[in-house]
PDB file of all heavy atoms in Angstrom:
ATOM      1  N   THR A 421       3.897  -8.048  24.360  1.00 64.00           N
ATOM      2  CA  THR A 421       4.731  -6.915  24.739  1.00 64.00           C
ATOM      3  C   THR A 421       5.739  -6.632  23.640  1.00 64.00           C
ATOM      4  O   THR A 421       5.824  -7.345  22.635  1.00 64.00           O
ATOM      5  CB  THR A 421       5.476  -7.202  26.055  1.00 64.00           C
ATOM      6  OG1 THR A 421       6.405  -8.266  25.833  1.00 64.00           O
ATOM      7  CG2 THR A 421       4.501  -7.593  27.162  1.00 64.00           C
ATOM      8  N   MET A 422       6.536  -5.604  23.839  1.00 61.00           N
ATOM      9  CA  MET A 422       7.508  -5.196  22.824  1.00 61.00           C
ATOM     10  C   MET A 422       8.515  -6.312  22.525  1.00 61.00           C
ATOM     11  O   MET A 422       9.067  -6.365  21.435  1.00 61.00           O
ATOM     12  CB  MET A 422       8.245  -3.936  23.284  1.00 61.00           C
ATOM     13  CG  MET A 422       7.357  -2.703  23.400  1.00 61.00           C
ATOM     14  SD  MET A 422       6.630  -2.198  21.835  1.00 61.00           S
ATOM     15  CE  MET A 422       8.049  -1.491  21.014  1.00 61.00           C
ATOM     16  N   THR A 423       8.735  -7.204  23.476  1.00 62.00           N
ATOM     17  CA  THR A 423       9.690  -8.285  23.229  1.00 62.00           C
ATOM     18  C   THR A 423       9.170  -9.272  22.189  1.00 62.00           C
ATOM     19  O   THR A 423       9.944 -10.032  21.611  1.00 62.00           O
ATOM     20  CB  THR A 423       9.984  -9.051  24.538  1.00 62.00           C
ATOM     21  OG1 THR A 423       8.759  -9.556  25.065  1.00 62.00           O
ATOM     22  CG2 THR A 423      10.632  -8.131  25.559  1.00 62.00           C
ATOM     23  N   ASP A 424       7.850  -9.249  21.932  1.00 69.00           N
ATOM     24  CA  ASP A 424       7.267 -10.165  20.949  1.00 69.00           C
ATOM     25  C   ASP A 424       7.512  -9.712  19.515  1.00 69.00           C
ATOM     26  O   ASP A 424       7.192 -10.438  18.565  1.00 69.00           O
ATOM     27  CB  ASP A 424       5.762 -10.302  21.176  1.00 69.00           C
ATOM     28  CG  ASP A 424       5.452 -10.925  22.529  1.00 69.00           C
ATOM     29  OD1 ASP A 424       6.102 -11.935  22.852  1.00 69.00           O
ATOM     30  OD2 ASP A 424       4.575 -10.408  23.244  1.00 69.00           O
ATOM     31  N   ILE A 425       8.066  -8.505  19.334  1.00 74.00           N
ATOM     32  CA  ILE A 425       8.336  -8.002  17.986  1.00 74.00           C
ATOM     33  C   ILE A 425       9.263  -8.946  17.224  1.00 74.00           C
ATOM     34  O   ILE A 425       9.132  -9.138  16.013  1.00 74.00           O
ATOM     35  CB  ILE A 425       8.945  -6.583  18.062  1.00 74.00           C
ATOM     36  CG1 ILE A 425       7.906  -5.600  18.603  1.00 74.00           C
ATOM     37  CG2 ILE A 425       9.436  -6.130  16.692  1.00 74.00           C
ATOM     38  CD1 ILE A 425       8.434  -4.206  18.780  1.00 74.00           C
ATOM     39  N   GLU A 426      10.199  -9.551  17.936  1.00 75.00           N
ATOM     40  CA  GLU A 426      11.149 -10.449  17.276  1.00 75.00           C
ATOM     41  C   GLU A 426      10.445 -11.614  16.595  1.00 75.00           C
ATOM     42  O   GLU A 426      10.958 -12.192  15.648  1.00 75.00           O
ATOM     43  CB  GLU A 426      12.150 -10.970  18.303  1.00 75.00           C
ATOM     44  CG  GLU A 426      13.053  -9.884  18.886  1.00 75.00           C
ATOM     45  CD  GLU A 426      14.027 -10.439  19.899  1.00 75.00           C
ATOM     46  OE1 GLU A 426      14.010 -11.676  20.118  1.00 75.00           O
ATOM     47  OE2 GLU A 426      14.808  -9.660  20.478  1.00 75.00           O
ATOM     48  N   ASP A 427       9.263 -11.960  17.094  1.00 78.00           N
ATOM     49  CA  ASP A 427       8.533 -13.099  16.542  1.00 78.00           C
ATOM     50  C   ASP A 427       7.734 -12.738  15.290  1.00 78.00           C
ATOM     51  O   ASP A 427       7.195 -13.621  14.630  1.00 78.00           O
ATOM     52  CB  ASP A 427       7.574 -13.665  17.589  1.00 78.00           C
ATOM     53  CG  ASP A 427       8.318 -14.203  18.807  1.00 78.00           C
ATOM     54  OD1 ASP A 427       9.463 -14.662  18.629  1.00 78.00           O
ATOM     55  OD2 ASP A 427       7.757 -14.145  19.913  1.00 78.00           O
ATOM     56  N   LEU A 428       7.653 -11.439  14.974  1.00 83.00           N
ATOM     57  CA  LEU A 428       6.889 -11.023  13.801  1.00 83.00           C
ATOM     58  C   LEU A 428       7.557 -11.511  12.521  1.00 83.00           C
ATOM     59  O   LEU A 428       8.766 -11.389  12.349  1.00 83.00           O
ATOM     60  CB  LEU A 428       6.761  -9.499  13.744  1.00 83.00           C
ATOM     61  CG  LEU A 428       5.658  -8.842  14.573  1.00 83.00           C
ATOM     62  CD1 LEU A 428       5.723  -7.332  14.391  1.00 83.00           C
ATOM     63  CD2 LEU A 428       4.287  -9.356  14.187  1.00 83.00           C
ATOM     64  N   VAL A 429       6.740 -12.038  11.620  1.00 85.00           N
ATOM     65  CA  VAL A 429       7.222 -12.419  10.295  1.00 85.00           C
ATOM     66  C   VAL A 429       7.340 -11.155   9.453  1.00 85.00           C
ATOM     67  O   VAL A 429       6.468 -10.282   9.511  1.00 85.00           O
ATOM     68  CB  VAL A 429       6.238 -13.411   9.634  1.00 85.00           C
ATOM     69  CG1 VAL A 429       6.684 -13.742   8.214  1.00 85.00           C
ATOM     70  CG2 VAL A 429       6.124 -14.669  10.480  1.00 85.00           C
ATOM     71  N   PRO A 430       8.412 -10.991   8.663  1.00 89.00           N
ATOM     72  CA  PRO A 430       8.501  -9.813   7.780  1.00 89.00           C
ATOM     73  C   PRO A 430       7.254  -9.674   6.918  1.00 89.00           C
ATOM     74  O   PRO A 430       6.744 -10.655   6.369  1.00 89.00           O
ATOM     75  CB  PRO A 430       9.749 -10.107   6.944  1.00 89.00           C
ATOM     76  CG  PRO A 430      10.594 -10.943   7.838  1.00 89.00           C
ATOM     77  CD  PRO A 430       9.633 -11.819   8.605  1.00 89.00           C
ATOM     78  N   GLY A 431       6.752  -8.453   6.826  1.00 89.00           N
ATOM     79  CA  GLY A 431       5.534  -8.191   6.071  1.00 89.00           C
ATOM     80  C   GLY A 431       4.275  -8.253   6.915  1.00 89.00           C
ATOM     81  O   GLY A 431       3.171  -8.127   6.383  1.00 89.00           O
ATOM     82  N   GLN A 432       4.435  -8.453   8.233  1.00 90.00           N
ATOM     83  CA  GLN A 432       3.275  -8.529   9.109  1.00 90.00           C
ATOM     84  C   GLN A 432       3.396  -7.529  10.258  1.00 90.00           C
ATOM     85  O   GLN A 432       4.464  -6.974  10.522  1.00 90.00           O
ATOM     86  CB  GLN A 432       3.120  -9.943   9.672  1.00 90.00           C
ATOM     87  CG  GLN A 432       2.706 -10.976   8.629  1.00 90.00           C
ATOM     88  CD  GLN A 432       1.339 -10.677   8.033  1.00 90.00           C
ATOM     89  OE1 GLN A 432       0.421 -10.246   8.725  1.00 90.00           O
ATOM     90  NE2 GLN A 432       1.194 -10.894   6.725  1.00 90.00           N
ATOM     91  N   GLY A 433       2.271  -7.300  10.934  1.00 90.00           N
ATOM     92  CA  GLY A 433       2.230  -6.353  12.040  1.00 90.00           C
ATOM     93  C   GLY A 433       1.430  -6.893  13.197  1.00 90.00           C
ATOM     94  O   GLY A 433       0.871  -7.987  13.131  1.00 90.00           O
ATOM     95  N   ASP A 434       1.327  -6.094  14.254  1.00 89.00           N
ATOM     96  CA  ASP A 434       0.544  -6.478  15.419  1.00 89.00           C
ATOM     97  C   ASP A 434       0.419  -5.252  16.322  1.00 89.00           C
ATOM     98  O   ASP A 434       1.080  -4.220  16.096  1.00 89.00           O
ATOM     99  CB  ASP A 434       1.218  -7.622  16.178  1.00 89.00           C
ATOM    100  CG  ASP A 434       0.206  -8.493  16.921  1.00 89.00           C
ATOM    101  OD1 ASP A 434      -0.906  -8.002  17.197  1.00 89.00           O
ATOM    102  OD2 ASP A 434       0.542  -9.650  17.212  1.00 89.00           O
TER     103      ASP A 434
END
Side-chain angles (χ1 to χ4, degrees):
T421 66
M422 294 298 286
T423 58
D424 297 314
I425 293 177
E426 294 180 1
D427 297 330
L428 277 179
V429 176
Q432 290 297 321
D434 208 338

